[in-house]
Amino acid sequence: MNLTLHVWRQNGAKAPGKLEQYEAKNVSPDQSFLEMLDEVNEQLIKNGKEPIVFDHDCREGICGMCSQVINGVPHGGQERTTVCQLHMRSFSDGDTIYIEPWRALAFPILKDLIVDRSNLEKIMQAGGYTSCHTGGVADGNAILVPQPAAEYAMDAAECIGCGACVAACPNGSAMLYTSAKVAQLAVLPQGQAEAAQRVCDMTDAAQAAGFGNCSNHYECQAACPKGVSVKFIAKLNREYQKALFK
Amino acid sequence: MRILTSSVGRKILMSITGQLLIIFVLIHLIGNSTIFFGPNGINAYAKHLHDLPPLVWAFRLFMLAAVSVHICYGVMLTLENKAANPGAYAVKRNLKKSFASENMIWTGVLLAGFIIYHLLQFTVHGTPDIVVGLDAANRVDVFKMVVTSFGHGLISVTYMAAMVMLFLHLSHGIPSFLQTMGWNNEKTIPVYATGGKVISAILMVAYISIPAVILAGLLKL
C-alpha cells in the first residue's frame, strides 16, 4: 500500500518545527509502524536527506520508548498497543497519516519525534521505591503478600512509563503514571512504611516538573497501551487523604 | 498547609466544596418545590426560613465561602492545566473526554453569572420585574413574586438555559467528586458516569419544571 505521511520535523529543542510531507511506497501490511518508518528513513538517507528521528528500543511493546501521536492518538489508537506493535494492516492504501511527538510542557521536544521524558524519572526518584537494608537474599515467602494485593500491584506495575497518559491528557497531567507507581507500592507490605511520604513526594515532584492537574477526563486510561486503570488515581487520592492526617 | 497548594490537595478542596454545593442544589430544589402547593406552600416556607436571621446569615456566609473556594481553585487549576498542555497537536482525536468535562470552566462561569443574577432578582429584589408585597397572612408574597417574574418568557428561558448548564456541570462534577475522594473502583467507574448523568438530568428537569409550569399557565396567581 501507498501512504502519505505528515511528520513533525524539528531540528532541535529550540528550533521551530513543522509538519513535512513524505510518501511511503509499497508498504507491506505485515510491517510494524516503526518498520514502515525505517524504510521511509532508508529512502531519505539514499536521497541525502536527514532521516526522521524517533525513539524505539525493544520493539516488543514492553520498553515504553516508542512515543508517537498517530492521527491524533498516542500510539495510534489501537487498544492496548504501542507504536512498535501497531501493524500497517490497520491502515488502508491511500491513507494520510499524521505523526507527531508527545506534546506537554513537561515533555520538551529534543528532535523530531523524540521528547525528553526525564521528568517522569524525577517523579520516580521522589518516592517510587522502598528503603530497606540489603543483605543476604531473603527467603521467598518471608513477607507474605495476599494474592489480591499481588494481582493489584501487578496491574499497576504494567505501566511501562511511556508517557502516553501525559500526551493524551488535555491538562498534560502525569497523574495516571504517578498513581500506578504509588498504588503498586501502597498495597504491598514492603511499601507501607513510606506510603504517606511517598504519595506526597511523588505528587509534589509531578507538580514541580510542570505536569498539569488531573481533572478526571480519563483520556489517559483510554490511550494507555497497557490499559492501566484510573482506579489507581482513586487509590492515590485515598492514599493522599490518609497522608494529610499523618 | 499542603492541602491549599498541592495538586491533589486543591482537587480535594474542589471536590468537598462541590459536594456542599450539590447538597445545597438538592435542598434548594426541595424548598422551591413548595411553590407547587401555592402561596400557602412557598410563602410559609420562606417565612420559616427567615424567622431565624442569625442562622440565615451563617448559612449564607458558609455557602459564599464554599462557592468562593470552588471558583478560585477552579480558575487556578484550569489556568495551570492550560499552561501544562501547549495544545499544539495538528491532529488530536479524543477517546474519552466529554463536552461536559472539557467545558467545566465555561459552564461554571455561566453558572456563577446566573447565581449573581438569581440573587439580585429574588434575594436582593433588584431587577425591574420583581413584585414585592404581602399575602393575606401578612407574609412576604414569594409566590406572587416568582409567578410574576417567570411569566416573562425571557426570564423563564434564561432560567431553563442555566439549568442546562447545571446539568452539564454536574454530569461531570458528580462522578468527578467521587473519583477525587477516592470512593471509586473499576466496577463503580462506569456506574458513576451513568449515575452522574441521570442525577444531573433529574435535577435539571425538576428545576426547569417550575418556570415551565408557570409559563404554561398551570400555576397562576
Side-chain angles (χ1 to χ4, degrees):
Chain A
M1 63 176 100
N2 296 320
L3 304 162
T4 304
L5 309 180
H6 293 271
V7 185
W8 185 262
R9 301 303 306 264
Q10 184 171 331
N11 202 21
K14 302 271 184 226
K18 64 176 197 302
L19 285 168
E20 281 187 17
Q21 189 176 325
Y22 301 96
E23 301 299 325
K25 304 250 184 238
N26 302 318
V27 175
S28 159
D30 297 327
Q31 280 181 319
S32 78
F33 199 85
L34 296 186
E35 284 165 347
M36 180 275 292
L37 281 181
D38 289 338
E39 286 201 349
V40 171
N41 272 346
E42 277 177 25
Q43 280 305 316
L44 286 174
I45 292 165
K46 267 186 201 162
N47 296 335
K49 291 182 180 158
E50 178 98 0
I52 300 160
V53 179
F54 60 90
D55 255 336
H56 63 100
D57 192 1
C58 74
R59 300 207 176 196
E60 291 179 335
I62 54 171
C63 76
M65 281 304 283
C66 48
S67 49
Q68 296 167 23
V69 174
I70 299 163
N71 287 339
V73 183
H75 293 295
Q78 186 169 299
E79 213 175 324
R80 297 191 179 206
T81 308
T82 52
V83 179
C84 63
Q85 295 295 298
L86 179 68
H87 285 83
M88 297 316 295
R89 53 182 166 269
S90 56
F91 296 90
S92 308
D93 185 35
D95 274 0
T96 299
I97 305 173
Y98 285 81
I99 311 169
E100 296 179 72
W102 286 174
R103 290 192 196 277
L105 182 74
F107 285 166
I109 296 170
L110 295 177
K111 190 167 182 173
D112 294 348
L113 302 174
I114 293 188
V115 298
D116 179 0
R117 285 176 284 188
S118 56
N119 277 326
L120 290 182
E121 302 312 318
K122 286 183 187 156
I123 299 174
M124 277 303 268
Q125 286 158 9
Y129 52 81
T130 59
S131 307
C132 58
H133 293 291
T134 52
V137 178
D139 285 346
N141 289 320
I143 301 170
L144 295 177
V145 179
Q147 181 64 13
E151 292 289 345
Y152 186 93
M154 284 303 289
D155 286 348
E158 271 208 78
C159 170
I160 53 175
C162 65
C165 47
V166 180
C169 179
N171 308 337
S173 172
M175 203 55 80
L176 187 66
Y177 170 84
T178 311
S179 72
K181 309 304 175 193
V182 165
Q184 178 192 339
L185 293 173
V187 292
L188 294 174
Q190 296 92 329
Q192 299 301 317
E194 293 162 299
Q197 195 61 45
R198 176 180 305 113
V199 68
C200 294
D201 289 349
M202 291 184 82
T203 49
D204 284 351
Q207 199 176 347
F211 291 106
N213 309 289
C214 171
S215 60
N216 306 321
H217 292 292
Y218 300 163
E219 277 293 312
C220 49
Q221 179 183 318
C224 177
K226 296 296 161 185
V228 172
S229 167
V230 291
K231 74 177 179 185
F232 295 119
I233 300 183
K235 173 73 174 164
L236 177 143
N237 293 336
R238 288 197 292 276
E239 288 297 314
Y240 194 86
Q241 286 165 55
K242 278 195 273 177
L244 282 176
F245 295 102
K246 283 196 175 172
Chain B
M1 283 290 279
R2 169 175 290 279
I3 196 167
L4 299 178
T5 53
S6 71
S7 175
V8 186
R10 288 179 297 169
K11 191 166 114 155
I12 291 168
L13 283 177
M14 283 293 289
S15 166
I16 293 170
T17 50
Q19 289 169 63
L20 292 172
L21 295 171
I22 290 171
I23 292 168
F24 173 76
V25 163
L26 281 170
I27 295 170
H28 194 47
L29 176 64
I30 295 167
N32 288 359
S33 61
T34 56
I35 199 166
F36 293 114
F37 297 100
N40 278 329
I42 196 157
N43 293 358
Y45 164 70
K47 188 174 180 329
H48 282 306
L49 214 58
H50 290 95
D51 271 351
L52 281 169
L55 205 66
V56 170
W57 277 102
F59 180 74
R60 281 175 176 169
L61 288 175
F62 180 71
M63 289 316 297
L64 182 68
V67 86
S68 304
V69 169
H70 198 74
I71 290 172
C72 286
Y73 282 123
V75 170
M76 202 189 295
L77 293 171
T78 304
L79 292 175
E80 283 180 21
N81 291 344
K82 289 265 177 246
N85 177 8
Y89 286 115
V91 178
K92 179 81 171 84
R93 184 159 68 86
N94 295 311
L95 302 171
K96 191 76 185 168
K97 78 170 179 177
S98 61
F99 180 80
S101 75
E102 199 176 3
N103 290 291
M104 284 301 271
I105 187 69
W106 299 117
T107 52
V109 164
L110 288 171
L111 280 172
F114 166 73
I115 292 168
I116 293 167
Y117 168 66
H118 182 53
L119 289 174
L120 273 178
Q121 189 176 30
F122 289 141
T123 307
V124 180
H125 301 159
T127 51
D129 55 286
I130 289 296
V131 179
V132 188
L134 299 177
D135 66 0
N138 220 23
R139 296 170 301 208
V140 175
D141 200 347
V142 178
F143 182 80
K144 189 178 174 186
M145 177 179 74
V146 174
V147 171
T148 309
S149 289
F150 281 166
H152 299 101
L154 192 61
I155 293 175
S156 279
V157 169
T158 305
Y159 271 74
M160 291 175 186
M163 292 308 102
V164 175
M165 293 305 123
L166 183 71
F167 163 75
L168 288 171
H169 204 71
L170 293 190
S171 65
H172 179 68
I174 292 172
S176 199
F177 89 68
L178 291 160
Q179 166 79 352
T180 299
M181 296 311 289
W183 304 331
N184 211 356
N185 62 42
E186 209 148 31
K187 283 183 191 152
T188 57
I189 290 167
V191 177
Y192 289 168
T194 311
K197 287 192 190 92
V198 171
I199 293 169
S200 311
I202 292 171
L203 285 171
M204 174 180 71
V205 170
Y207 268 110
I208 283 180
S209 71
I210 298 171
V213 162
I214 293 170
L215 213 53
L218 298 172
L219 202 63
K220 50 192 169 197
L221 296 171

